[in-house]
Amino acid sequence: RLERAGQAREALSELQQAVAVEPQSVEAHSQLVRLYHRLNDTARMEQHYRAVTAIVPNAVMANLEYGTLLAKQGRFADAAAAFEKALTANPDHSTAHAMLGQAREELKQLEEAERHYRLALDTDPNNRRAGLLLGRLLILADRRTEAIPYLEQVAQVSDASRAFYLQRIAQVYQEADEHDRALQYLEQARAEAAAQGQERLLREIMQNMTQWQKAQ
């Protein structure tokens, strides 16, 4: 509750007390891994990751958070190993499949990447990250007919994240040298971000738009 209220440091204090009372608490250590990740305290995040995986090696939350950190550092093989551990504990974890697929794609293991994106969507058809990543993989593999339904499904969901995903779809088409279609989606993203009052994202979209128009 403290974290949801924006009181991250207070939440951290409560979790530290929880670990002091119960050093073997998988939940408390896992929450500390997640919170230290959010606070960019890598050393303490790794400390609690080691603590929780010494108790439960395949702890889902801890391995997802640690794998995400490793992926940000470009350590994709290590990230994939962490995501595999999470899937050992929960084979139907849609987010873990999507993240493992992304790590496999970075490692140029495209068939494995596609397999995990599809498994993510089998488990949760509304996983927009997996839909976007699968659509991108397919369109860059010149499998456009297969890709479009996934990208369109991602674009149709109307919520606070819609502008972000429309921008990402635009970037997929820009990568695929479909510049007119990229600008169409970017314009949709601009309108959505403006309607939602998402000023930071709107500035980023406008910068993209200016750069892409100049490049045409």
Side-chain angles (χ1 to χ4, degrees):
R1 289 197 300 269
L2 287 167
E3 188 180 356
R4 285 197 297 272
Q7 297 174 280
R9 293 294 174 184
E10 291 82 354
L12 192 61
S13 176
E14 293 292 335
L15 287 167
Q16 288 167 338
Q17 290 182 57
V19 167
V21 171
E22 180 50 72
Q24 297 297 303
S25 172
V26 172
E27 175 67 16
H29 280 297
S30 294
Q31 291 287 356
L32 281 164
V33 169
R34 183 184 58 76
L35 193 51
Y36 277 125
H37 187 192
R38 175 183 166 186
L39 296 170
N40 296 314
D41 190 334
T42 302
R44 287 190 173 88
M45 177 188 176
E46 291 181 339
Q47 173 190 338
H48 286 282
Y49 174 76
R50 289 193 295 271
V52 70
T53 52
I55 304 164
V56 179
N58 299 325
V60 175
M61 183 193 299
N63 277 295
L64 286 179
E65 292 291 335
Y66 192 56
T68 302
L69 173 68
L70 293 170
K72 287 177 184 176
Q73 295 174 342
R75 297 165 59 187
F76 298 110
D78 292 334
F83 298 140
E84 290 277 14
K85 289 180 182 179
L87 286 167
T88 297
N90 183 355
D92 294 327
H93 200 294
S94 182
T95 299
H97 277 296
M99 296 171 83
L100 177 55
Q102 196 165 12
R104 294 295 181 203
E105 186 172 355
E106 292 287 351
L107 293 167
K108 309 302 181 187
Q109 299 167 358
L110 301 187
E111 289 185 6
E112 274 295 289
E114 180 178 345
R115 184 173 74 85
H116 283 288
Y117 294 152
R118 292 189 184 279
L119 285 169
L121 290 167
D122 286 345
T123 304
D124 178 10
N126 297 316
N127 186 329
R128 282 186 289 177
R129 178 177 187 158
L132 176 68
L133 290 167
L134 179 56
R136 177 181 178 276
L137 184 150
L138 293 171
I139 208 165
L140 294 179
D142 202 24
R143 295 160 63 185
R144 190 177 187 280
T145 303
E146 292 178 70
I148 287 175
Y150 293 106
L151 297 176
E152 288 182 346
Q153 183 177 355
V154 171
Q156 287 168 5
V157 179
S158 183
D159 64 9
S161 298
R162 186 164 186 256
F164 169 83
Y165 279 101
L166 287 168
Q167 182 198 31
R168 293 299 182 267
I169 294 169
Q171 290 173 337
V172 169
Y173 281 110
Q174 185 72 2
E175 283 184 78
D177 293 326
E178 296 190 30
H179 304 297
D180 290 342
R181 197 162 183 83
L183 285 169
Q184 288 171 10
Y185 272 102
L186 201 59
E187 172 55 29
Q188 291 181 50
R190 184 205 62 76
E192 189 72 23
Q196 295 283 345
Q198 296 169 332
E199 295 297 329
R200 182 176 177 180
L201 180 58
L202 182 59
R203 288 194 296 272
E204 185 179 322
I205 290 167
M206 294 305 297
Q207 289 172 359
N208 287 154
M209 192 170 285
T210 300
Q211 292 168 358
W212 294 0
Q213 286 171 338
K214 285 180 179 179
Q216 279 193 313

